[in-house]
Amino acid sequence: MLDTYQKKYTNNNRQFVLIDKTGIVLESDQTLMKIAFGHSIFELHPFFESLTSVFESKEEVNFYGIHIPFEDQLFIVDIKAAPVKEGLLLILKDLTEHYNSYQKITQTRNESVIKTELTVLKNQELAERERFKNSFIQNFSHELRNPLTSIMAIIEILGDTEMTNEQLQMLDFLKESNTNLRLMLEDTLSIGMIDAGQLQIQKGVFDLHKFFELLIFTYKAKAKEKGLKFDCLWDEKIPKLVEGDRLRLYQIVTNLIDNALKYTEQGSIQFDVKLNQKRANIVNLRFEVTDTGVGISEENKDAIFESFRQVKSNGTTKGVGLGLTIAKKLLLLMNSTIKMQSTLGEGSKFYFDLSFEYPLFTDSNSELSSKARRPKIEAKHLDQKKYKILLVEDDTYVQTTLFKILLNTNRFKIDLAYDGALVLQEVVTNNYDLILMDVNLPNLDGNQITRLIRDFPFKNIKNTPIIGITANAYEESIAECLKAGMQKVLTKPFEKDDLLKLIYKILK
Ligand code: ADP
């Protein structure tokens, strides 16, 4: 009984062939290939010629994965060649299916390895491009800071001189353009900092209602100039004081409203703030900027959020293509997302939700508003003597403008140095009350000089206050200056008042 089953299920994949020492086929069971008797097996396939070596060795030899095409069929076989007294016994084992599926598996595996490697390469390329973009932005904004600082300072100095009305008006234009340039620079820098993971959200308590009023004040006039209406409505139940990053919220909202103004030729721009939810001391608000402008086509709806990406609206592009990217990235840092609805030719709505903590008791109200008021720059606490300041700056324009700012106060005697190596000589021979030091200097940089000064054995030199001035606003480079021993670091471009305020504070 078992014999029958065995016969049925025994795999018929073996062929036995007997050849003589010259390769002539003596016998064959023909299970796989019908081989002609009395002919040389070498005619079947050139592989068999290699068997001559087996005759000589007199030992069994195995060959694996031999491809033999036979009558329109390809056999892939393992062959055992055993020397016998008649000549050679060949046992051909058909493993065509096995080898084919093995090949398929290997191929799939190779393809998947190649795919993974391609993805890795692609990611590397993307990371490389991102790195290049960031370092480009960093260098580019760095280079712009010096001239911008000079222009700002010169505008302020000019403003203090006698001028005709026409000149004053022109100065106002100059101021306005320069402010725009500065904001663009700040935006560019923000992108670089966000991408480098260096921008942190800084929370503080601020007055939301005042925030809205400032926006109304700013944008009513701007909209009117363009013949548009601007309205800002907010739910009265929204707390007055909230805790959040006012500066970044301002950056997001103004980017959206600026865009609405840019891309709307007639109609209105509406800024609404709605109360989504209020519980415990957390409030969730929806900010919406709606315009009746050109709108955005379906195919461009994703592209507009990419950096430096502009989409032609109404045949024109305005700006540098960063506004929306910044808004999107800042919101991401605040755990929110920017959303948009738009119909081409009808208008757009950009909106997002944000949560704020708010104080349950508003006693601090009066305290906050008094704190928020800009303090007047006073130097009453200082002696009437003239303080000696060493100004170290290699950019001649910045040097001249800073020199004039300091000179105009009539409170300082100023020495100038432009080369790091010369500073030490000056510091040793003069007893300075303060050093104003650019960080990026030829020969010795500001940090190196500061470290050398702090290592001096004489107390009067060692303890001279040093304010650093840098074009590099990155947190880590500022931290490096402070670590080197600077008291404070100002980043270019800065306001004249900020500089004087800081100097007076440190001189006390
Ligand atoms: P920019 O305005 O500097 O070009 P943005 O990143 O702010 O850069 O915007 C990217 C693109 O999105 C713009 O070039 C414009 O085509 C489109 N866009 C943005 N806001 C609006 C809007 N309110 N209406 C129509 N198109 C808009």
Side-chain angles (χ1 to χ4, degrees):
M1 191 66 185
L2 192 62
D3 287 0
T4 351
Y5 291 133
Q6 263 178 333
K7 258 192 201 135
K8 186 176 171 191
Y9 290 103
T10 299
N11 200 338
N12 274 340
N13 70 343
R14 274 197 185 82
Q15 177 163 355
F16 290 78
V17 183
L18 197 62
I19 58 174
D20 71 11
K21 283 186 177 144
T22 60
I24 300 294
V25 178
L26 302 176
E27 275 184 65
S28 164
D29 63 15
Q30 313 291 56
T31 321
L32 304 172
M33 297 169 246
K34 309 272 178 277
I35 304 173
F37 302 146
H39 287 264
S40 169
I41 196 155
F42 301 157
E43 290 167 21
L44 190 65
H45 194 274
F47 156 78
F48 291 103
E49 290 181 30
S50 59
L51 293 176
T52 43
S53 59
V54 185
F55 292 124
E56 285 149 24
S57 80
K58 297 200 166 47
E59 277 182 24
E60 271 184 20
V61 182
N62 291 307
F63 301 89
Y64 300 101
I66 312 297
H67 289 54
I68 303 177
F70 187 85
E71 295 177 352
D72 301 337
Q73 207 183 333
L74 177 72
F75 290 92
I76 307 175
V77 291
D78 284 356
I79 300 175
K80 186 188 276 294
V84 289
K85 67 174 183 329
E86 294 85 355
L88 210 54
L89 174 68
L90 302 176
I91 307 162
L92 285 68
K93 189 172 175 191
D94 178 19
L95 293 168
T96 311
E97 225 173 274
H98 164 81
Y99 277 115
N100 279 342
S101 71
Y102 181 74
Q103 197 184 3
K104 230 181 237 159
I105 291 167
T106 320
Q107 193 176 343
T108 321
R109 205 178 45 211
N110 284 345
E111 276 169 8
S112 102
V113 168
I114 290 169
K115 237 186 200 157
T116 319
E117 279 175 2
L118 273 179
T119 318
V120 170
L121 278 176
K122 226 174 175 172
N123 286 343
Q124 273 172 353
E125 192 200 320
L126 279 179
E128 193 50 50
R129 271 183 15 200
E130 207 51 34
R131 248 197 307 280
F132 173 77
K133 195 177 82 186
N134 281 338
S135 78
F136 171 76
I137 289 175
Q138 204 171 342
N139 293 335
F140 155 84
S141 47
H142 190 274
E143 290 306 318
L144 280 182
R145 277 166 186 269
N146 275 345
L148 213 54
T149 310
S150 302
I151 297 170
M152 271 168 67
I154 290 168
I155 291 173
E156 296 207 37
I157 292 166
L158 272 180
D160 291 340
T161 62
E162 287 277 317
M163 273 202 246
T164 65
N165 276 348
E166 199 186 351
Q167 283 171 330
L168 275 174
Q169 204 180 5
M170 286 199 289
L171 197 68
D172 269 348
F173 284 139
L174 200 58
K175 215 174 192 170
E176 171 81 17
S177 317
N178 204 50
T179 309
N180 286 343
L181 199 60
R182 184 183 162 189
L183 290 179
M184 268 197 240
L185 177 70
E186 295 300 335
D187 274 358
T188 313
L189 196 69
S190 299
I191 285 274
M193 287 170 84
I194 297 172
D195 287 348
Q198 294 222 359
L199 193 137
Q200 274 166 8
I201 295 301
Q202 291 179 352
K203 285 188 182 173
V205 176
F206 69 97
D207 186 330
L208 248 186
H209 293 193
K210 279 223 176 92
F211 178 87
F212 302 146
E213 278 154 15
L214 173 70
L215 289 173
I216 295 176
F217 177 77
T218 317
Y219 285 104
K220 266 232 151 77
K222 277 196 181 177
K224 206 171 162 196
E225 268 172 32
K226 227 184 147 182
L228 302 168
K229 250 182 77 183
F230 174 78
D231 256 325
C232 169
L233 287 179
W234 69 89
D235 191 323
E236 284 301 330
K237 288 200 266 330
I238 294 175
K240 196 168 153 61
L241 296 181
V242 293
E243 194 177 350
D245 193 328
R246 183 192 175 282
L247 181 73
R248 299 302 167 194
L249 179 65
Y250 189 75
Q251 205 175 359
I252 297 165
V253 172
T254 52
N255 269 327
L256 296 183
I257 304 180
D258 279 335
N259 274 351
L261 272 175
K262 258 195 279 183
Y263 301 105
T264 304
E265 291 311 319
Q266 50 182 313
S268 62
I269 286 121
Q270 182 79 31
F271 175 51
D272 292 326
V273 188
K274 296 171 182 164
L275 180 71
N276 283 337
Q277 205 183 37
K278 200 172 172 184
R279 66 183 161 79
N281 64 335
I282 307 243
V283 67
N284 186 270
L285 307 178
R286 165 152 301 188
F287 296 81
E288 280 180 9
V289 177
T290 316
D291 64 55
T292 55
V294 293
I296 296 151
S297 65
E298 270 315 309
E299 74 255 31
N300 285 331
K301 280 183 177 165
D302 288 330
I304 58 167
F305 289 103
E306 286 171 31
S307 50
F308 298 108
R309 185 66 187 257
Q310 292 188 301
V311 170
K312 275 207 166 182
S313 316
N314 242 3
T316 50
T317 55
K318 314 157 184 176
V320 283
L322 278 180
L324 288 180
T325 320
I326 290 181
K328 180 180 155 185
K329 293 192 175 186
L330 285 176
L331 281 169
L332 220 59
L333 281 179
M334 297 180 180
N335 300 321
S336 176
T337 27
I338 189 158
K339 294 181 189 132
M340 179 198 54
Q341 287 165 3
S342 186
T343 313
L344 202 59
E346 287 183 18
S348 322
K349 178 160 93 177
F350 287 84
Y351 58 100
F352 57 90
D353 296 328
L354 266 186
S355 286
F356 298 90
E357 277 186 34
Y358 67 97
L360 290 172
F361 306 103
T362 49
D363 300 1
S364 54
N365 198 346
S366 53
E367 193 193 315
L368 177 99
S369 49
S370 71
K371 244 196 234 162
R373 222 177 287 138
R374 226 181 133 151
K376 251 185 94 191
I377 312 158
E378 301 256 345
K380 280 189 194 141
H381 62 284
L382 298 183
D383 291 344
Q384 278 316 304
K385 70 162 188 173
K386 281 205 172 181
Y387 288 87
K388 277 180 82 177
I389 290 191
L390 176 65
L391 170 59
V392 194
E393 168 67 69
D394 65 319
D395 184 304
T396 42
Y397 287 105
V398 179
Q399 195 186 60
T400 317
T401 44
L402 286 178
F403 182 74
K404 282 191 178 159
I405 289 177
L406 296 175
L407 208 64
N408 280 352
T409 62
N410 214 13
R411 303 214 58 135
F412 307 116
K413 259 190 84 196
I414 307 139
D415 285 340
L416 300 174
Y418 52 87
D419 184 315
L422 297 177
V423 176
L424 288 177
Q425 200 181 319
E426 298 286 326
V427 172
V428 176
T429 46
N430 296 288
N431 210 352
Y432 289 109
D433 294 301
L434 187 132
I435 302 170
L436 211 53
M437 176 126 61
D438 186 18
V439 177
N440 216 335
L441 289 169
N443 297 325
L444 278 179
D445 74 24
N447 287 335
Q448 287 171 307
I449 302 172
T450 307
R451 275 193 289 272
L452 288 172
I453 293 176
R454 295 287 175 249
D455 284 344
F456 249 75
F458 311 115
K459 264 202 173 148
N460 59 332
I461 293 173
K462 181 189 171 88
N463 295 334
T464 316
I466 301 174
I467 297 177
I469 300 175
T470 179
N472 190 341
Y474 280 66
E475 244 173 51
E476 61 195 36
S477 67
I478 292 176
E480 208 180 305
C481 297
L482 296 176
K483 202 174 147 209
M486 294 185 184
Q487 260 72 17
K488 265 279 182 203
V489 183
L490 270 180
T491 44
K492 295 176 191 173
F494 47 80
E495 302 274 348
K496 176 181 96 180
D497 288 359
D498 291 338
L499 172 70
L500 292 179
K501 234 188 304 181
L502 187 60
I503 293 180
Y504 293 150
K505 192 174 155 204
I506 286 183
L507 280 179
K508 70 182 166 202

